[in-house]
Amino acid sequence: MRQRILITGATGFVGKQVIKALQLKKADITIIVRPGWKEKIQNIEGIIKIVETDDLFSESAKWWELKCKNIDTIIHVAWYAIPGKYLTSDINFDCLLGTLNLARGAAAAGIKKFVGIGTCFEYDLKDGMLSVSTPLKPLTPYAATKTAAYLTLSQFLISKNIEFAWCRLFYLHGEDERGGRLVSYIRNQLENNQVVKLTSGNQIRDYMDVSEVGKIIAEIAFSSDEGCINVCSGIPITVRKLAEQVADEYGKRDLLEFGARPDNLVDPPCIVGVK
């Protein structure tokens, strides 16, 4: 029997890749989108239902109960994620409340599994190498509301006998990456033959291509995996090395200007996931 999956955030950076991975698994997909998106994606294979709403985070638990009828698994990718704004925005609190309403409605509808998307910023980042046993210490509204969602859902969904997996994502790059993120900035500058102004580049990070992340999330949705899961490469790489790898694709390493921007003194020197 085909898995019936409802996904939020299906038109976003991560959500698009999850959809692609689900299509390979022959799932019956329901997506929640804003008005205007239906015509753009209605012919995508595997999508059997498109639900429109002006703001999914403002919908009630009862609304979600109706939309989740006959759904096996929820993959909740949607969250406010505008680069440069999302870490401190008050909209994070709306996302948290909306997520809890989604969970209540989904539980009432009888779903079997809920897959949520978290962040490495939930952890105490001073540890550098971050495993699922690393203590939590969110330092921004974004990280705090993600942590609150995880802690609340882990208790609520288990009490309803619903499987719950929480995918903590690390650093991403790849297809349809928004401007304002590191790799998209580097590519844009190089494509326009302009200097790429960077910090020292000594920061150590854990980067993954978003297409691989989409595959992992889809796998988790189809598996019996539960609890917190680090979705990461586990491979440390400096920002300098990453920038050089991107520049080498264009043969323009000479356009990289390290030290042109000051290092952020409160930026953790190392953030790497442990699988």
Side-chain angles (χ1 to χ4, degrees), residues 99-117:
T99 294
L100 299 183
N101 277 334
L102 163 57
R104 289 173 60 203
I111 69 158
K112 299 173 183 176
K113 186 166 187 172
F114 189 107
V115 180
I117 306 300

Side-chain angles (χ1 to χ4, degrees), residues 1-19:
M1 183 176 177
R2 290 168 66 98
Q3 186 85 287
R4 298 166 298 183
I5 294 178
L6 182 148
I7 177 171
T8 69
T11 60
F13 182 44
V14 175
K16 287 179 181 178
Q17 302 303 322
V18 176
I19 290 288

Side-chain angles (χ1 to χ4, degrees), residues 211-223:
S211 64
E212 292 303 312
V213 171
K215 293 174 186 176
I216 292 172
I217 293 170
E219 286 291 341
I220 291 169
F222 274 77
S223 74

Side-chain angles (χ1 to χ4, degrees), residues 200-214:
S200 67
N202 294 327
Q203 309 93 325
I204 300 170
R205 296 293 182 259
D206 187 322
Y207 271 92
M208 283 189 74
D209 190 290
V210 69
S211 64
E212 292 303 312
V213 171

Side-chain angles (χ1 to χ4, degrees), residues 75-193:
I75 304 179
H76 181 41
V77 183
W79 203 275
Y80 181 69
I82 301 298
K85 297 181 179 181
Y86 73 97
L87 288 176
T88 58
S89 174
D90 291 352
I91 297 174
N92 284 296
F93 300 103
D94 299 328
C95 294
L96 171 60
L97 294 174
T99 294
L100 299 183
N101 277 334
L102 163 57
R104 289 173 60 203
I111 69 158
K112 299 173 183 176
K113 186 166 187 172
F114 189 107
V115 180
I117 306 300
T119 170
C120 61
F121 297 128
E122 296 173 56
Y123 291 122
D124 186 345
L125 300 178
K126 69 175 174 46
D127 287 0
M129 302 298 292
L130 308 174
S131 73
V132 294
S133 61
T134 298
L136 302 180
K137 190 179 179 180
L139 298 177
T140 64
Y142 171 72
T145 49
K146 285 284 190 177
T147 303
Y150 163 68
L151 293 173
T152 304
L153 294 177
S154 63
Q155 298 301 316
F156 171 71
L157 294 171
I158 290 174
S159 73
K160 300 294 184 180
N161 295 315
I162 296 170
E163 294 180 13
F164 174 55
W166 187 251
C167 303
R168 288 202 176 113
L169 309 188
F170 282 68
Y171 288 78
L172 310 179
H173 64 86
E175 184 181 7
D176 293 332
E177 185 175 4
R178 275 178 170 170
R181 297 169 66 100
L182 175 63
V183 176
S184 63
Y185 163 68
I186 295 172
R187 290 190 182 282
N188 183 67
Q189 292 296 101
L190 295 175
E191 286 168 3
N192 288 286
N193 207 38

